[in-house]
Amino acid sequence: MVWGVLEEMRIRSLGVIDDAVVELSPGFTAVTGETGAGKTMVVTSLGLLLGGRADPALVRIGAASAVVEGRISLPPGAPVAVRAEEAGAELDEGALLVSRTVSAEGRSRAHLGGRSVPVGLLAELADELVAVHGQTDQQGLLKPARQRGALDRYAGEAVSGPFAAYAEAYRGLRAVTTELDEITTRARERAQEADLLRFGLAEIEAVAPRAGEDEELAAEAERLGHAEALASAAALAHAALAGNPEDPESVDATTLVGGAGRALEAVRAHDPALAALADRAGEISILLADVAQELAGYADNLDADPLRLAAVEERRAALTQLTRKYGESVTAVLAWAEESAERLGELDGDDERIGELTAERDRLRDELSVLAQRLTDARVEAADRFAGAVTAELASLAMPHARVSFDIRQAEAADEASGVRVGGRWVAYGPSGVDEVELLLAPHPGAPPRPIAKGASGGELSRVMLAVEVVFAGVDPVPTYLFDEVDAGVGGKAAVEIGRRLAKLARTAQVVVVTHLPQVAAFADRQLLVEKTNDGSVTRSGVTVLEGEERVRELSRMLAGQEDSETARAHAEELLATARADV
């Protein structure tokens, strides 16, 4: 199902383009023009429109900003439409309007359906809308790591399932190995830490402090240090309240208050106010008697023993030694002891933990071996299918005798500790498995398969890459495919076959090709000509749809460099007739 078609783009102040509109066909659109005319700006514009990096150098000299606007038709319920509406975008009669602005200072803004959105959202939608294939993509696919990724993507669930299980086991093995290495390599440091903790705990245990004991002893020391003053003050206070037995003439507070109470009691019946005061005087008399009694008991119980004071100070000194090392108070010291005992338990359990981790590491390594083998088997099966499909495509691209294959191999591990056992061998492993994957090409019978980077000429490489991309289109389709100079280094019959294959692909998807080959352009449903004006810019009239005689003239120019050459015109008309008959 086609989920969207790019109908047109408007480009302003981008590179050599001043202001131009690119109208695209829902089928096969070819973009042509002389070298340097600005054809690749179509690719650049689409990249910006779909979240690509904003380069202020792209802004046309003298302009404040470059703007690219696009209109993408979407059927109801299309995933892109749903995602865009979730972001607040509104569709315009079934079409999604996208715009991107890049200022000369480097600032970038994106709009989707009339709403300002993060550029990252455009990039997210791009994965569902457009597949861009160009020379940069070809160079990337020459790298074995990219080829392994391409194979995995082609295989789909057959590889992604085992790969997910392998990745989870790999992460677990890495975590266990890291912890095991840390414990073993830091064994000396951990032993030293354990010794320090044992010494501290032994020192605290020898003193055996109680929570709050330091505060209690401080109060007792204060009392013992001032025992004589306290006893004297208590005796004087007691004499003032209860009288001095050695001085019968002395007057004390208890006697005076008692007399006041008796005087009021004698007349309380005559006035309620005095009755209330009599009651209060009685309460004072009782309170004074209680205080006097407690003062007498205090003086009797006051310990002025200098030996006790010395013992208290000695205990306080022992506690001070602890608080100086392990906490600001005895409570903090006890908390340190609790935490340290727990940590010491962990350190003393290193041997047991090492045993557990070693067993877990071996278990995970065995599991990884099984999963790695399963992943390799899935890749080998997918590689056979992928290589067969690409080989069949090459037959349609004038390479009938070429054969594509995959070399899937494993590197020997330096030692058992750094590898997993697969197929009876210890092999190196990584986050993507144990496989090294490389795409090979045998261009003709008898030729040994060689890596495509070394075994293919420029034209053959372009066709191999196109075949790979077309195979991807069958398993991972997107609405629009953009090919930038994918036919570089190709000519003659091979170019015709490339055009024919792109036209076939355009039956189920939108295809946009930037090309310099008339054999490819002839197969397009629509041909756009990009040309500069005399001042070196591409204006609104500089991107035109070619039809009839105009298209013949452009194909003639592409063939012979001469628009009015009768031979070139005849060849151009023949190309168009062949393409129409083929389609």
Side-chain angles (χ1 to χ4, degrees), residues 48-65:
L48 286 173
L49 205 59
L50 298 173
R53 186 177 68 88
D55 185 355
L58 295 173
V59 179
R60 184 170 172 77
I61 296 175
S65 61

Side-chain angles (χ1 to χ4, degrees), residues 342-412:
E342 183 177 346
R343 174 60 175 164
L344 185 59
E346 294 177 3
L347 295 173
D348 286 342
D350 273 0
D351 291 342
E352 180 180 352
R353 182 58 177 160
I354 287 175
E356 294 174 353
L357 290 172
T358 300
E360 179 67 4
R361 180 199 62 191
D362 294 343
R363 185 193 69 78
L364 286 170
R365 186 176 287 169
D366 291 341
E367 180 182 350
L368 207 65
S369 297
V370 174
L371 294 172
Q373 183 65 65
R374 190 180 304 168
L375 183 57
T376 297
D377 293 342
R379 282 175 172 154
V380 169
E381 191 279 331
D384 290 340
R385 290 188 290 110
F386 192 8
V390 174
T391 297
E393 286 296 329
L394 289 177
S396 301
L397 296 172
M399 294 179 65
H401 304 297
R403 293 291 180 269
V404 169
S405 61
F406 277 96
D407 178 20
I408 300 179
R409 59 188 181 275
Q410 296 81 36
E412 295 288 340

Side-chain angles (χ1 to χ4, degrees), residues 73-116:
S73 64
L74 297 170
V80 171
V82 174
R83 181 67 184 90
E85 289 175 342
E86 289 175 351
E90 296 182 1
L91 270 61
D92 180 20
E93 298 180 354
L96 181 63
L97 303 180
V98 187
S99 71
R100 182 82 180 277
T101 302
V102 181
S103 71
E105 291 79 21
R107 293 188 300 274
S108 173
R109 292 177 306 184
H111 289 81
L112 187 68
R115 291 291 299 273
S116 178

Side-chain angles (χ1 to χ4, degrees), residues 176-187:
V176 168
T177 302
T178 298
E179 184 178 355
L180 185 58
D181 289 345
E182 180 184 0
I183 292 178
T184 54
T185 57
R186 293 185 55 208

Side-chain angles (χ1 to χ4, degrees), residues 31 40 108 116 153 171 241 352 409 472 480 552:
V31 182
T40 56
S108 173
S116 178
R153 186 158 59 93
R171 288 190 295 270
L241 294 179
E352 180 180 352
R409 59 188 181 275
F472 272 136
T480 299
V552 173

Side-chain angles (χ1 to χ4, degrees), residues 2 20 83 142 151 212 220 288 333-335 357 362 397 402 406 426 504 507 535 546 572 583:
V2 176
R83 181 67 184 90
L142 296 181
L151 175 61
E220 185 177 1
L288 286 175
V333 169
L334 293 173
L357 290 172
D362 294 343
L397 296 172
F406 277 96
W426 287 97
K504 183 178 180 181
R507 295 174 187 172
D535 65 359
L546 300 179
V583 175

